[in-house]
Amino acid sequence: MVLGTNAEILFCNVLGCQLLHRTEQELLGTTAFGAYWQVLQADGTVFANPKLLLSRQENLVLGIAHPQNGSYIWLLVNTQLQDNTNQTICTFSQITERQSSEVNLRHTQTRLEQQNQVLLALAKSKTMALGDLNHALDEITEAAASTLGVERVSVWLYNCDRSKIECLNLYEQTPKRHSSGAELAAVNYPAYFQALETERTIAANDAYTDLRTCEFGTTYLPAVGVTSMLDAPIWLEGKMIGVVCHEFTGGVRHWTIEEQNFGGCIADLVTLAMEANQRQKAQEALRQSEARFHKLTTHMPGVIYQFVLHPDGSVNIPYVSSYCREMFELEPEQIQQNAQLLLSQVHPDDHHTLHESIAISATTLEPWVWEGRFINPSGKLKSLSGASRPEKLANGDILWDGLLVDITERKQTEAALAKRERYLAILVEVQRRLLADDTDGNCYTHILEPLGQASGASRVYLFENFGDHTKKLFARQRGVWCSKEINNLTLQNLPLLEVFPRWIELLARGDIVTGIATEFLEPEQNILTDHHILSILVLPLIVNNKFWGFIGFDNCQEVRSWDSLEVDLLAAAAAAIALHQERALAEKSLSQAKDELEIQIDKRTKALKDANHQLLVEIAERSAAQCALQVSLENLKKAQIQLVQSEKMSSLGQIVAGIAHEINNPISFIAGNLVYANQYTSDLLDILRLYQEYCPHPGAEIFQRSQEIDFDFLVTDLPKLLESMQVGAKRIRDIVLSLRNFSRLDEAEMKSVNLHEGIESTLLILQHRLNSQNRNSPIQIIKDYGELPNVECYPDKLNQVFFNILNNAIDALEESTVYRQQSIVRNSGLLTKSEIRICTELAVNNVRVRIADNGPGMSEQVKAQVFDPFFTTKLAGRGSGLGLSISYQIVVESHKGVLCCTSKQGEGTEFCIEIPVWQNAT
């Protein structure tokens, strides 16, 4: 191609026209590679200076737009200026394929750089470093979706038995939403799960046709609109634990190698995130474990330590818990730096046993166990118990890991128990000596000696109170014991109220006096100082509830106080001495009484015989009275029971009577007015017939209204309606009458009544139970009434008897129905109908009422107790066991009749009531 001075085309050969896809006429005169050609340079920028071709160019790469389809044609252009003509020769050749490859390569490099930057940013993410798995997965899925340009990226993990994978994180790019919880069962997609085990990535360009993913084509893919899949398995510790899914929804997509590698790297990043999460959890668990150990060592009442014995005999303590501050009054750092600070606190008497026990444990490598005492810098004495297990290290050191526990309280308790046992032994000895004393309580010196030795007192003395002729209170010494270093204290006729008035008041109340001499009031303190008493304990001796004397314990060599245990045990010894004195006084009084008794025994022998006879008579009379009282008590109990039941029935009767009265008034109004309503209705209907007869052609409105209300049916049905209302009113009146007959509030006294009315009223009251829906058929009542005269009785009480017996019969039949229904199911038999038969008859001067059922009957054992109070065979809450007992009392005691029961298991039960027609009949 030849160019002019302005880069216009002067000539272009045929091959050039073909390469440019333009005719020679279209080219000539136009600017070569001008804006009209839409020219790009190799770097993609617009070629805007065609005159550049007028200078020498070598291998200039230019692309021009195809005039028909707009695709770019890439040319390699060279130009050379002709000096003699001012024209430029421009040669070019097509390099479209090479340029496309270079462009693709540059694009690939750009994508790789972008992917690498994304992977690097994710690897440096703080959430990855902190082990925050949920936020790390959010960042990874969002970055992967954005980089690959896919709609959905999700992370799935296997469950425990690897039977399915569960979605841990699903990111959808369009709604920018994260979710989780979906599940895919491995058994439904075997090819896919097999491919995950063997392939680095699953690049399914067409997910519907790829053999590895086509199993999802029926349900999963259509549901989410996915067409192409790029999945990479997640490996952790040499085991495939899940998969990262990249899902494209825009049609078939051909995944490049770079994209597949990127998908694999995303899966690796998920692995790194999970490992970081596991490390974070492990570190947190370690921190918690260390915190628990620190808390344990801080709060545990003991010292955990490590003790090292080196081959040269030197020792050190590399670790000691913080409780050492309380136990040794040393900081842990002080002990770790200088073990001798701790070892120097060992009590001098326990040094030998400590070093010996360490040497034995080091030699035998047996566990070290030792108990000893430590003296803290503040002077506190503590008893400690140590235990540890030795371990010989490679360098020859022996390491003990162990525990030191403060057992000071335990040792103090053991010492207290030993002291208590010592005192108890002394108490036993005191009791033995008191029992062996034959001086009538006049000598206590041999008793005071063991008490003084056990208590550590310098002096023990016992004083007895007495009053002179002026009734002043004095005390005389009855015994004293002193240690060898103390002089005996001899005091006789001590005026107590003048010397120790406050003490006497306390001791007379049974209180003790104890304390250090300098703590008492000045007068008391002076007396104690005069006798060189540094501390004292005085216990009262109470004989026959009187202040008889006291026992005192002095300390003259050291100031000490008695603890509560010593006081209690010495008080027990004082009580034993007081008891011995009581016994001595009683024996003395008994001896005197014996002499007097022997003198009077002859005189009283006869009187005693007479009194004995009289006593036997009184005993017999008392026994008879007691029996009568027992019978009265039983009768009273029965009367109380009957009274309670009668009150209940009376209350029930009042309620029933009240209801009957309230119903009777309005029903009387209804029944009385129904007669007139029937008459008025008949008259109105007659008038209507006359109107129809004399006015056979009524107006249109009357005719239409009569058709609407069905006049002919109304005329026919209205009398029937009134008749049914009369029948219902009569039924209500009968029920009200039965309720009044059953309650009989006006018949509490004995009257002559018709028993059949009482039975019928009771049956009406129980009608709801006879027709209970719980059974297949109602209970049939068979009545066999005889001709009975009116009977003199208590109507309300007899109604109660009928009610109790019939109610029990219904209960028995209901129980029998359940049993027989079960039997029918097993034996395919026919169900026997439930029946209650009521028979009445006249027997000379008595009337007899028999009530029988065809229920299950009862055993002889039950029948023997059937009239006993509180005996029942019903379930708890269904019966009180009083019904038949009260019925028996009503028939037998109130009516001088007979109530008996006849029953046999499987054949039913019959109760027979027989009472006189007249109560005054013999």
Side-chain angles (χ1 to χ4, degrees):
M1 187 166 57
V2 179
L3 304 180
T5 55
N6 293 319
E8 71 277 12
I9 301 174
L10 301 177
F11 171 76
C12 182
N13 63 5
V14 176
L15 181 57
C17 293
Q18 292 176 353
L19 290 177
L20 297 175
H21 292 278
R22 289 168 174 81
T23 63
E24 185 176 2
Q25 288 77 12
E26 292 174 337
L27 295 174
L28 294 177
T30 62
T31 302
F33 299 98
Y36 173 73
W37 288 14
Q38 300 179 18
V39 184
L40 295 178
Q41 300 184 88
D43 58 0
T45 59
V46 177
F47 181 69
N49 187 12
K51 290 186 177 181
L52 188 63
L53 298 175
L54 298 178
S55 60
R56 182 178 179 85
Q57 300 293 329
E58 292 185 0
N59 298 328
L60 177 63
V61 177
L62 297 176
I64 63 172
H66 194 290
Q68 281 79 36
N69 56 31
S71 63
Y72 274 87
I73 304 167
W74 291 94
L75 304 174
L76 185 62
V77 180
N78 292 277
T79 60
Q80 185 175 359
L81 182 62
Q82 300 293 324
D83 295 334
N84 53 351
T85 62
N86 291 330
Q87 293 179 349
T88 303
I89 302 299
C90 176
T91 60
F92 52 88
S93 59
Q94 186 174 1
I95 59 170
T96 300
E97 293 183 0
R98 189 183 76 180
Q99 185 65 18
S100 296
S101 298
E102 291 178 353
V103 171
N104 289 336
L105 180 60
R106 283 196 300 272
H107 288 172
T108 298
Q109 289 176 345
T110 301
R111 286 195 300 269
L112 285 176
E113 290 176 357
Q114 181 185 2
Q115 292 173 2
N116 288 335
Q117 290 175 357
V118 170
L119 294 174
L120 183 60
L122 290 175
K124 293 181 177 179
S125 172
K126 290 184 178 179
T127 57
M128 291 280 287
L130 295 175
D132 187 350
L133 183 60
N134 291 331
H135 287 89
L137 293 181
D138 288 347
E139 291 184 359
I140 291 172
T141 53
E142 292 174 9
S146 175
T147 303
L148 292 178
V150 296
E151 173 62 21
R152 296 159 54 92
V153 178
S154 54
V155 178
W156 304 69
L157 297 180
Y158 273 107
N159 64 345
C160 296
D161 58 3
R162 299 181 69 83
S163 61
K164 60 185 177 181
I165 55 175
E166 301 170 347
C167 183
L168 190 61
N169 192 310
L170 166 64
Y171 174 67
E172 297 171 272
Q173 187 164 216
T174 300
K176 298 186 182 302
R177 177 179 60 202
H178 288 272
S179 59
S180 62
E183 296 180 352
L184 294 175
V187 68
N188 296 331
Y189 314 102
Y192 176 77
F193 281 89
Q194 179 63 33
L196 287 177
E197 296 286 349
T198 57
E199 300 185 22
R200 167 63 172 166
T201 58
I202 299 177
N205 300 331
D206 187 343
Y208 284 92
T209 59
D210 194 295
L211 295 178
R212 299 166 296 181
T213 59
C214 62
E215 297 165 335
F216 295 108
T218 56
T219 55
Y220 179 77
L221 295 178
V224 297
V226 173
T227 55
S228 297
M229 299 172 62
L230 175 60
D231 295 357
I234 303 170
W235 292 82
L236 181 63
E237 297 178 354
K239 184 178 180 181
M240 199 272 288
I241 62 167
V243 62
V244 178
C245 299
H246 307 83
E247 298 171 334
F248 185 70
T249 58
V252 176
R253 174 168 174 171
H254 295 277
W255 303 101
T256 65
I257 296 298
E258 295 80 9
E259 291 172 335
Q260 296 180 36
N261 290 335
F262 179 76
C265 292
I266 290 295
D268 294 339
L269 280 175
V270 173
T271 300
L272 292 176
M274 297 183 69
E275 289 177 344
N277 179 254
Q278 290 179 355
R279 285 195 303 273
Q280 184 67 20
K281 290 181 178 178
Q283 291 173 357
E284 181 63 24
L286 179 60
R287 283 194 296 270
Q288 293 178 359
S289 176
E290 290 176 347
R292 286 194 298 269
F293 178 75
H294 178 71
K295 184 177 180 181
L296 174 66
T297 58
T298 301
H299 294 88
M300 187 176 68
V303 172
I304 299 174
Y305 66 91
Q306 284 186 324
F307 181 82
V308 178
L309 175 62
H310 300 289
D312 60 0
S314 61
V315 299
N316 74 298
I317 301 175
Y319 173 79
V320 62
S321 62
S322 59
Y323 195 74
C324 65
R325 297 187 183 96
E326 296 184 30
M327 186 174 287
F328 301 114
E329 299 176 2
L330 293 173
E331 293 294 327
E333 295 77 10
Q334 293 177 286
I335 299 175
Q336 292 168 0
Q337 294 172 4
N338 185 0
Q340 292 302 321
L341 292 176
L342 187 148
L343 296 176
S344 63
Q345 294 187 17
V346 178
H347 194 282
D349 295 341
D350 296 334
H351 269 294
H352 176 71
T353 59
L354 174 62
H355 292 300
E356 183 181 12
S357 63
I358 293 175
I360 293 174
S361 179
T363 303
T364 62
L365 294 181
E366 291 294 326
W368 174 77
V369 178
W370 176 78
E371 289 185 0
R373 294 162 294 173
F374 282 71
I375 303 175
N376 292 157
S378 62
K380 293 181 181 178
L381 179 65
K382 291 190 176 182
S383 296
L384 305 182
S385 174
S388 61
R389 185 177 297 276
E391 177 187 1
K392 192 167 185 178
L393 305 180
N395 60 359
D397 292 346
I398 298 178
L399 171 67
W400 283 270
D401 295 313
L403 173 68
L404 283 173
V405 179
D406 190 344
I407 59 172
T408 304
E409 292 185 3
R410 192 191 79 189
K411 287 295 184 180
Q412 292 173 349
T413 303
E414 291 174 353
L417 289 175
K419 181 191 293 186
R420 182 181 181 85
E421 290 177 358
R422 185 173 70 254
Y423 270 95
L424 290 175
I426 295 301
L427 282 176
V428 173
E429 178 62 20
V430 169
Q431 290 281 14
R432 188 190 66 78
R433 294 189 181 190
L434 288 173
L435 292 174
D437 180 32
D438 57 356
T439 62
D440 295 332
N442 294 321
C443 183
Y444 288 98
T445 301
H446 67 297
I447 302 299
L448 302 179
E449 179 181 359
L451 291 177
Q453 293 174 348
S455 63
S458 304
R459 182 170 47 230
V460 184
Y461 42 84
L462 187 146
F463 280 81
E464 177 188 359
N465 302 334
F466 73 95
D468 63 357
H469 63 282
T470 63
K471 296 186 179 181
K472 289 184 178 181
L473 186 62
F474 289 85
R476 56 172 168 257
Q477 186 171 288
R478 294 287 301 274
V480 64
W481 171 87
C482 299
S483 62
K484 295 180 180 180
E485 299 81 5
I486 303 301
N487 296 326
N488 194 358
L489 177 65
T490 302
L491 295 174
Q492 293 295 337
N493 300 335
L494 185 64
L496 296 179
L497 294 177
E498 297 177 7
V499 180
F500 298 111
R502 189 177 67 87
W503 289 16
I504 297 307
E505 182 181 355
L506 292 172
L507 294 173
R509 293 204 308 258
D511 296 333
I512 67 172
V513 176
T514 182
I516 300 172
T518 56
E519 296 176 351
F520 288 100
L521 300 177
E522 186 174 354
E524 301 166 350
Q525 186 181 143
N526 294 335
I527 297 174
L528 297 177
T529 303
D530 291 342
H531 292 87
H532 308 289
I533 299 173
L534 301 178
S535 57
I536 189 170
L537 169 65
V538 182
L539 301 169
L541 296 175
I542 306 299
V543 177
N544 294 327
N545 297 323
K546 295 181 180 179
F547 177 36
W548 180 85
F550 58 89
I551 181 172
F553 299 83
D554 294 344
N555 274 322
C556 301
Q557 295 176 319
E558 62 177 352
V559 177
R560 68 178 283 263
S561 300
W562 281 267
D563 58 35
S564 59
L565 175 63
E566 292 177 309
V567 172
D568 291 341
L569 293 173
L570 291 175
I577 294 173
L579 183 62
H580 173 71
Q581 185 62 35
E582 287 183 1
R583 187 173 71 248
L585 293 175
E587 289 176 353
K588 185 177 180 180
S589 299
L590 183 62
S591 178
Q592 294 173 355
K594 179 181 177 183
D595 296 337
E596 295 176 0
L597 184 62
E598 288 177 352
I599 295 173
Q600 297 179 6
I601 192 167
D602 293 335
K603 296 180 180 179
R604 299 193 60 183
T605 300
K606 185 178 181 303
L608 286 174
K609 289 182 178 180
D610 295 341
N612 186 42
H613 175 72
Q614 183 64 28
L615 182 61
L616 291 174
V617 173
E618 291 179 359
I619 290 174
E621 293 176 352
R622 185 174 296 177
S623 297
Q626 187 174 3
C627 293
L629 182 60
Q630 185 67 29
V631 172
S632 299
L633 182 60
E634 293 295 331
N635 292 336
L636 179 60
K637 289 182 179 178
K638 293 179 181 179
Q640 288 176 337
I641 295 170
Q642 187 172 3
L643 180 61
V644 171
Q645 192 69 14
S646 298
E647 287 297 324
K648 291 182 179 179
M649 293 302 295
S650 175
S651 300
L652 177 61
Q654 291 177 356
I655 294 173
V656 170
I659 294 173
H661 177 73
E662 293 300 326
I663 296 175
N664 188 57
N665 289 336
I667 204 62
S668 296
F669 299 151
I670 295 172
N673 290 328
L674 281 175
V675 175
Y676 299 104
N678 194 13
Q679 180 179 347
Y680 297 160
T681 302
S682 178
D683 294 341
L684 289 174
L685 291 177
D686 290 341
I687 292 296
L688 285 174
R689 291 190 189 95
L690 290 175
Y691 270 111
Q692 287 179 330
E693 182 179 352
Y694 290 99
C695 299
H697 302 291
E701 184 177 354
I702 295 175
F703 179 78
Q704 181 179 356
R705 181 59 179 165
S706 64
Q707 292 296 321
E708 290 176 355
I709 65 175
D710 196 353
F711 177 75
D712 293 337
F713 171 76
L714 187 150
V715 169
T716 304
D717 191 59
L718 184 58
K720 297 179 182 178
L721 185 147
L722 292 173
E723 183 179 356
S724 66
M725 292 174 63
Q726 288 178 324
V727 172
K730 183 178 182 304
R731 175 62 176 163
I732 296 174
R733 292 181 65 184
D734 292 342
I735 292 174
V736 170
L737 180 60
S738 297
L739 292 174
R740 295 184 62 188
N741 289 338
F742 179 79
S743 62
R744 292 186 180 269
L745 289 179
D746 56 343
E747 299 178 4
E749 300 297 329
M750 186 170 288
K751 290 187 176 183
S752 180
V753 298
N754 185 345
L755 292 186
H756 291 160
E757 292 181 358
I759 295 173
E760 291 298 324
S761 298
T762 304
L763 289 174
L764 182 61
I765 296 298
L766 293 172
Q767 190 65 36
H768 70 285
R769 295 204 62 196
L770 296 173
N771 299 323
S772 175
Q773 298 298 324
N774 296 330
R775 296 183 298 272
N776 292 331
S777 60
I779 297 175
Q780 184 177 0
I781 302 297
I782 301 174
K783 304 173 184 176
D784 185 8
Y785 292 169
E787 294 293 332
L788 297 182
N790 286 351
V791 178
E792 188 178 19
C793 64
Y794 295 102
D796 57 334
K797 293 184 177 181
L798 273 186
N799 285 348
Q800 183 179 353
V801 173
F802 296 149
F803 182 88
N804 290 338
I805 294 176
L806 286 170
N807 195 48
N808 284 348
I810 294 171
D811 288 340
L813 288 172
E814 287 182 346
E815 178 184 351
S816 176
T817 300
V818 174
Y819 172 79
R820 284 182 289 175
Q821 287 175 346
Q822 296 173 349
S823 177
I824 288 170
V825 173
R826 291 193 298 267
N827 303 325
S828 300
L830 296 176
L831 179 63
T832 304
K833 292 183 177 180
S834 299
E835 296 178 351
I836 296 177
R837 184 179 296 273
I838 305 174
C839 300
T840 62
E841 58 184 352
L842 181 65
V844 191
N845 292 327
N846 294 341
V847 291
R848 187 179 297 131
V849 180
R850 297 198 306 273
I851 301 175
D853 63 70
N854 61 344
M858 63 182 77
S859 64
E860 292 297 328
Q861 182 180 3
V862 173
K863 188 169 68 174
Q865 306 176 72
V866 73
F867 296 119
D868 292 347
F870 304 109
F871 175 77
T872 180
T873 59
K874 300 176 183 177
L875 298 176
R878 293 196 58 186
S880 63
L882 295 174
L884 291 179
S885 174
I886 293 175
S887 299
Y888 186 85
Q889 292 179 6
I890 292 172
V891 174
V892 176
E893 298 178 8
S894 300
H895 293 85
K896 301 183 179 66
V898 177
L899 175 60
C900 60
C901 172
T902 304
S903 180
K904 189 174 182 181
Q905 282 189 314
E907 298 183 4
T909 302
E910 179 182 282
F911 286 89
C912 180
I913 306 166
E914 186 171 343
I915 60 174
V917 176
W918 303 101
Q919 288 298 315
N920 56 1
T922 57

